[in-house]
């Protein structure tokens, strides 16, 4: 439920952009700061939460972060102008940054690598549900009660989740710190920087965040403007992306065994890229319905494999390693949203979405090749 809430608050603004542009009399490229600045703050805070989670307990930090998110969403709902809304979104990001990466790192602490990808897939159900809920309710509430009520809903959700996490805290067994963890965060950073595989994985995360999450941020606006459908319908259509991811989570055990890590990376990116070519150039908006679903399934195949590798990137300081991974991912997202928003001001949105979709296919080919070389050494099983 915590990862669900965190992803929902990230995606809640995606279908709002045209309405925020109208309300605040600002271009899309300017109001997109509610997404891009959120992602920048989210990424930078990974440098803080990694060592904090390793030292004070990942679960406990996640619980406190949900309280901060509730406050941030309340301030977003009370925003009187665009700068205040952007500032409130940044404040929310400062605490939301802890939730998903430290949850994944906690799984890495307690689950062996052989079962970890299946476990991460189950935990990832909250993330994929969050994508669906954020985009769906962001568009629905904007079209009906008003965009402020979307943030009211998120504030209430985070408050409930923080209470439930507190209730479960006393039932959890403490996780011992790794005996060989390097002392000091900067030594941990040096350890990561000196590892060629870690640099490769972080670079892929940066590009993945820029292309995939950048596309997600502008898909609803593309459908709304190109096919003249309502924000509710556009947001609901893009919400099928999350349903596709949920379908993967349900079938993860079979799919992982059928394709293996190399196949998941290669075919996941291929499904995603082809689906977005249809979304970009399809003559009817209805084609986006199955395409968003397939894109979500392909994304989950690719990203779940990335997450499994990230949990083993720095086993001696897993919180720091996974939060660095998340930091690069969301730094990429912030850059992707800014670049795509700028490109949409100069080029046809279909051409922009199609070009980025092809880029994702190429990224999948590269990642699959890198995994094949890595798995030949069985390094992650050591």
């Amino acid at each position: 439920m915590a990862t669900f809430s965190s992803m929902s608050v990230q995606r809640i603004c995606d279908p709002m952009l045209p309405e925020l542009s109208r309300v605040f009399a600002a271009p899309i490229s300017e109001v997109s700061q509610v997404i891009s600045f959120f992602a920048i703050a989210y990424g930078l805070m990974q440098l803080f939460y990694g060592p904090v989670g390793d030292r004070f307990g990942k679960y406990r930090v996640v619980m406190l972060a949900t309280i901060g998110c509730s406050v941030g969403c309340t301030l977003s709902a009370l925003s009187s102008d665009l700068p205040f809304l952007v500032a409130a979104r940044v404040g929310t990001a400062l605490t939301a940054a802890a939730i998903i990466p430290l949850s994944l790192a906690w799984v890495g602490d307690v689950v062996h690598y052989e079962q970890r990808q299946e476990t991460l897939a189950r935990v990832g159900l909250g993330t994929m549900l969050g994508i669906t809920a954020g985009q769906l309710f962001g568009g629905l509430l904007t079209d009906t009660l008003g965009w402020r009520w979307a943030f009211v809903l998120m504030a209430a959700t985070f408050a409930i989740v923080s209470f439930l996490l507190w209730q479960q805290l006393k039932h959890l067994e403490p996780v011992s710190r790794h005996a060989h963890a390097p002392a000091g965060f900067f030594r941990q950073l040096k350890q990561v920087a000196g590892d060629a595989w870690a640099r490769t994985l972080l670079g892929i995360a940066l590009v993945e965040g820029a292309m995939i999450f950048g596309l997600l941020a502008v898909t609803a606006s593309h459908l709304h403007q190109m096919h003249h459908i309502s924000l509710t319908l556009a947001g609901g259509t893009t919400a099928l992306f999350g349903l596709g991811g949920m379908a993967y989570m349900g079938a993860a055990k079979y799919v992982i065994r059928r394709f293996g890590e190399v196949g998941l990376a290669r075919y996941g990116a291929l499904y995603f890229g082809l689906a977005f070519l249809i979304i970009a150039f399809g003559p009817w908006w209805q084609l986006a319905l199955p395409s968003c679903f397939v894109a979500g399934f392909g994304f989950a195949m690719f990203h779940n494999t990335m997450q499994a590798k990230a949990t083993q990137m720095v086993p001696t300081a897993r919180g720091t390693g996974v939060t660095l991974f998340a930091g690069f991912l969301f730094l990429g997202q912030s850059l992707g949203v800014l670049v795509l928003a700028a490109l949409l001001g100069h080029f046809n949105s279909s051409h922009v979405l199609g070009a980025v979709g092809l880029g994702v296919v190429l990224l999948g080919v590269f990642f699959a090749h890198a995994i094949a070389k890595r798995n030949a050494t069985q390094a992650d099983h050591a």
Side-chain angles (χ1 to χ4, degrees):
M1 292 184 68
T3 59
F4 164 83
S5 304
S6 179
M7 185 55 74
S8 294
V9 82
Q10 291 180 45
R11 303 263 63 93
I12 198 79
C13 290
D14 290 357
M16 286 184 193
L17 295 184
E19 177 65 11
L20 294 178
S21 177
R22 185 190 68 81
V23 170
F24 294 119
I28 290 287
S29 59
E30 185 174 345
V31 297
S32 67
Q33 292 174 358
V34 298
I35 300 174
S36 60
F37 282 22
F38 182 103
I40 292 172
Y42 191 109
L44 291 176
M45 285 303 291
Q46 304 308 317
L47 297 176
F48 172 76
Y49 283 119
V52 168
D54 281 332
R55 180 167 183 176
F56 296 105
K58 303 174 182 66
Y59 187 95
R60 189 182 302 273
V61 174
V62 169
M63 179 187 68
L64 295 174
T66 57
I67 299 174
C69 287
S70 182
V71 175
C73 289
T74 301
L75 293 174
S76 296
L78 298 174
S79 299
S80 57
D81 52 36
L82 182 59
F84 191 96
L85 177 59
V86 172
R89 287 282 291 169
V90 170
T92 306
L94 295 180
T95 51
I99 297 174
I100 293 179
L102 289 185
S103 297
L104 299 179
W106 184 78
V107 171
D109 284 341
V110 298
V111 179
H112 292 296
Y113 187 81
E114 288 73 16
Q115 291 82 40
R116 196 175 302 163
Q117 190 162 357
E118 292 182 22
T119 306
L120 289 171
R122 293 196 295 272
V123 174
L125 182 63
T127 303
M128 301 312 298
L129 278 170
I131 293 176
T132 300
Q135 293 180 323
L136 176 60
F137 286 102
L140 178 62
L141 292 175
T142 299
D143 269 343
T144 54
L145 299 178
W147 61 269
R148 297 179 188 276
W149 285 96
F151 293 111
V152 172
L153 175 64
M154 289 307 311
T157 302
F158 274 114
I160 294 171
V161 171
S162 62
F163 174 74
L164 295 174
L165 287 170
W166 174 76
Q167 280 193 318
Q168 292 295 322
L169 181 62
K170 58 180 175 290
H171 300 299
L172 297 178
E173 295 182 2
V175 178
S176 60
R177 296 185 63 189
H178 199 288
H180 302 291
F185 179 55
F186 289 103
R187 290 189 180 182
Q188 296 171 7
L189 285 179
K190 184 177 180 181
Q191 180 182 1
V192 175
D195 188 291
W197 169 245
R199 294 195 302 269
T200 299
L201 197 60
L202 292 175
I204 295 173
L206 182 71
V207 178
E208 178 198 8
M211 293 198 294
I212 294 180
F213 287 97
L215 282 178
L216 287 181
V218 301
T219 299
S221 297
H222 165 79
L223 294 174
H224 172 70
Q225 294 171 355
M226 291 297 294
H227 299 287
H228 308 291
I229 61 177
S230 69
L231 292 177
T232 299
L233 190 54
T237 300
T238 54
L240 290 171
F241 181 91
L243 291 180
M246 290 166 55
Y248 169 77
M249 303 307 173
K253 185 174 183 179
Y254 168 78
V255 176
I256 291 170
R257 294 178 181 177
R258 170 66 179 83
F259 289 98
E261 290 181 330
V262 174
L264 289 170
R266 178 183 297 120
Y267 293 110
L270 179 63
Y271 297 159
F272 182 95
L274 292 179
F276 261 91
L277 284 174
I278 295 174
I279 293 170
F281 298 107
W284 307 290
W285 73 266
Q286 291 88 345
L287 291 175
L289 295 170
S291 297
C292 284
F293 183 88
V294 172
F297 194 95
F299 163 76
M301 292 173 66
F302 182 92
H303 189 65
N304 188 227
T305 307
M306 286 282 291
Q307 288 178 331
K309 291 298 184 184
T311 61
Q312 200 66 14
M313 188 170 62
V314 190
T316 56
R318 208 179 308 272
T320 300
V322 176
T323 51
L324 276 174
F325 168 79
F328 273 75
L329 183 71
F330 285 96
L331 175 60
Q333 176 183 340
S334 63
L335 295 175
V337 171
L338 289 172
V339 172
L340 263 65
L343 290 175
L344 290 175
H346 298 87
F347 300 98
N348 183 282
S349 62
S350 295
H351 296 156
V352 174
L353 266 65
V356 178
L358 287 176
V360 172
V361 175
L362 296 177
L363 180 66
V365 172
F366 175 79
F367 185 38
H369 176 71
I371 292 176
K373 292 176 61 178
R374 174 74 172 180
N375 287 352
T377 66
Q378 291 293 302
D380 290 327
H381 298 269

